[in-house]
Amino acid sequence: MNIVQIKGNKYPDEYFVKFFFKNMLQEKKNLKVLEFGCGNGSNLMLPYAYGNEVIGVDCNAQLIRDANFNFNFFKGSGFTFYTQDMRSIAKTLRNLQADLFILPSVIYYISQEDFIVFLKNIIQNNNLNKNIPFYIRVRSTKDFRYGLGTEIAPNRYQMPIQSMTGESSAEIEFYTESEIIAILKSELNLREYKIFHLDNQNEHNGYIVLNSDIVVWGTIN
């Protein structure tokens, strides 16, 4: 399979790639990798290529169809994709015992309250092994979207009906470093972690804007 044949996003999250190799995960085999907001599977292709089992969840049915199409090119097994809202499936998934847990670009589309309940369900249902690597990417309060649209809660906004980013009417939660770290410590026992502030200019429909994310990786559970 070459890059032209991949349906959807062609490349994994740049900082997930850094996380993967900095933590020497390429030297480990037979890991079970769990990702929510997996899209077309572009992130999961990396651990899968190194002989690991991958499980992806996304609420977008077309993206899950693309993921299955992309992975079926490998003519193998060891991949499972679910079309479901992350909040609902977290209540029913049980005993996955994942060895790697990743949330690259999804939690800012649910409220902070829902995110905390989601994490509680993941832990209570025995879906994570002990002492495993973790990766998350959240949207910072410095992002250009912050303050756009209608404020529906502190640090939470509903985007305008016509959003230049394609997130029309979406509800977006923004985080400060202290907020996300406090949640991860409380709910996942985050430790030995690193924090990266990713501020970069991007182009959306002819406008140059500031995208601002916070990436955290470390050990959990």
Side-chain angles (χ1 to χ4, degrees):
M1 186 181 194
N2 61 47
I3 193 170
V4 175
Q5 295 170 301
I6 295 174
K7 288 191 175 183
N9 193 15
K10 307 294 185 183
Y11 301 103
D13 178 330
E14 175 188 359
Y15 268 74
F16 174 65
V17 176
K18 293 177 186 289
F19 158 81
F20 188 85
F21 289 108
K22 291 286 187 180
N23 286 279
M24 307 300 291
L25 295 175
Q26 77 276 15
E27 297 185 359
K28 298 183 179 181
K29 305 294 181 185
N30 301 313
L31 299 177
K32 186 179 289 186
V33 184
L34 175 61
E35 178 184 12
F36 288 86
C38 67
N40 71 326
S42 57
N43 291 320
L44 292 175
M45 288 182 188
L46 178 58
Y48 187 76
Y50 281 91
N52 301 298
E53 179 184 355
V54 299
I55 301 163
V57 179
D58 202 288
C59 64
N60 188 307
Q62 182 57 58
L63 291 177
I64 292 297
R65 285 193 290 270
D66 289 346
N68 280 302
F69 173 88
N70 293 334
F71 276 73
N72 276 320
F73 259 91
F74 295 113
K75 305 297 183 184
S77 58
F79 59 89
T80 306
F81 294 101
Y82 297 95
T83 306
Q84 201 165 336
D85 186 289
M86 62 187 291
R87 292 164 291 190
S88 60
I89 198 171
K91 299 175 184 177
T92 58
L93 278 178
R94 283 180 168 79
N95 301 315
L96 287 181
Q97 296 182 307
D99 307 298
L100 173 58
F101 185 34
I102 60 176
L103 296 166
S105 295
V106 66
I107 72 156
Y108 40 74
Y109 292 121
I110 66 175
S111 70
Q112 185 175 132
E113 293 77 13
D114 282 352
F115 177 51
I116 292 171
V117 172
F118 163 81
L119 293 178
K120 289 182 183 296
N121 286 330
I122 289 293
I123 294 296
Q124 290 171 1
N125 290 338
N126 193 32
N127 287 310
L128 304 179
N129 274 329
K130 297 295 183 180
N131 301 312
I132 65 170
F134 172 71
Y135 178 96
I136 191 170
R137 186 169 184 149
V138 303
R139 194 153 281 163
S140 159
T141 54
K142 294 190 294 180
D143 189 271
F144 85 98
R145 299 167 183 81
Y146 185 79
L148 292 180
T150 303
E151 184 177 18
I152 53 180
N155 291 343
R156 185 166 181 79
Y157 291 84
Q158 183 172 31
M159 294 295 100
I161 294 176
Q162 294 183 334
S163 170
M164 70 174 71
T165 63
E167 297 166 305
S168 301
S169 300
E171 295 182 8
I172 298 181
E173 186 87 26
F174 300 86
Y175 288 87
T176 64
E177 177 184 312
S178 59
E179 282 177 328
I180 191 61
I181 294 299
I183 291 170
L184 298 176
K185 284 183 175 181
S186 173
E187 304 302 329
L188 295 180
N189 188 26
L190 176 72
R191 55 203 184 276
E192 300 168 1
Y193 60 89
K194 297 179 175 65
I195 304 168
F196 305 87
H197 290 265
L198 311 183
D199 297 334
N200 64 87
Q201 289 184 310
N202 199 2
E203 187 271 336
H204 285 295
N205 292 335
Y207 293 92
I208 305 299
V209 297
L210 176 68
N211 289 154
S212 182
D213 290 341
I214 301 170
V215 165
V216 181
W217 73 52
T219 300
I220 59 168
N221 205 22

